[in-house]
Amino acid sequence: AGGRFSLTGKIGAGIACGGFRNGGQELTLQNMQTFFLQQNMFAIADGPGFSHSGAAIVGRAAEDTVGLKTVENLARHMARSLRGR
């Protein structure tokens, strides 16, 4: 029964976009993290400051300074995780 998942040990992180600040991005990110964990992956979040399950963008990404900060945090945490390998 079972075997090795092809994504085992990989790092996963999500970015979700919506039309409103509370447009379902967090629920989408949580579902992405569930997928990562079910595939035996490491799930990365954006961490302190915003504490989303990933990065959350609203509307036009270039105009969403808060959302872009979550992307920056997420990228920093992912890079830190990759360096630690």
Side-chain angles (χ1 to χ4, degrees):
R4 184 173 163 87
F5 291 121
S6 62
L7 297 176
T8 292
K10 304 286 185 192
I11 294 175
I15 299 174
C17 303
F20 302 98
R21 181 64 54 203
N22 299 309
Q25 295 92 318
E26 189 65 22
L27 181 59
T28 299
L29 292 168
Q30 289 171 354
N31 280 294
M32 289 178 180
Q33 286 211 349
T34 297
F35 171 79
F36 299 149
L37 296 173
Q38 289 172 335
Q39 297 301 311
N40 200 30
M41 297 172 67
F42 297 100
I44 304 296
D46 78 324
F50 300 97
S51 298
H52 290 105
S53 297
I57 296 287
V58 175
R60 294 178 186 265
E63 298 170 4
D64 182 12
T65 57
V66 172
L68 290 174
K69 185 66 177 164
T70 67
V71 173
E72 182 182 315
N73 289 348
L74 182 67
R76 186 172 23 293
H77 290 153
M78 181 173 265
R80 193 174 300 137
S81 295
L82 289 167
R83 280 193 303 266
R85 298 176 140 245

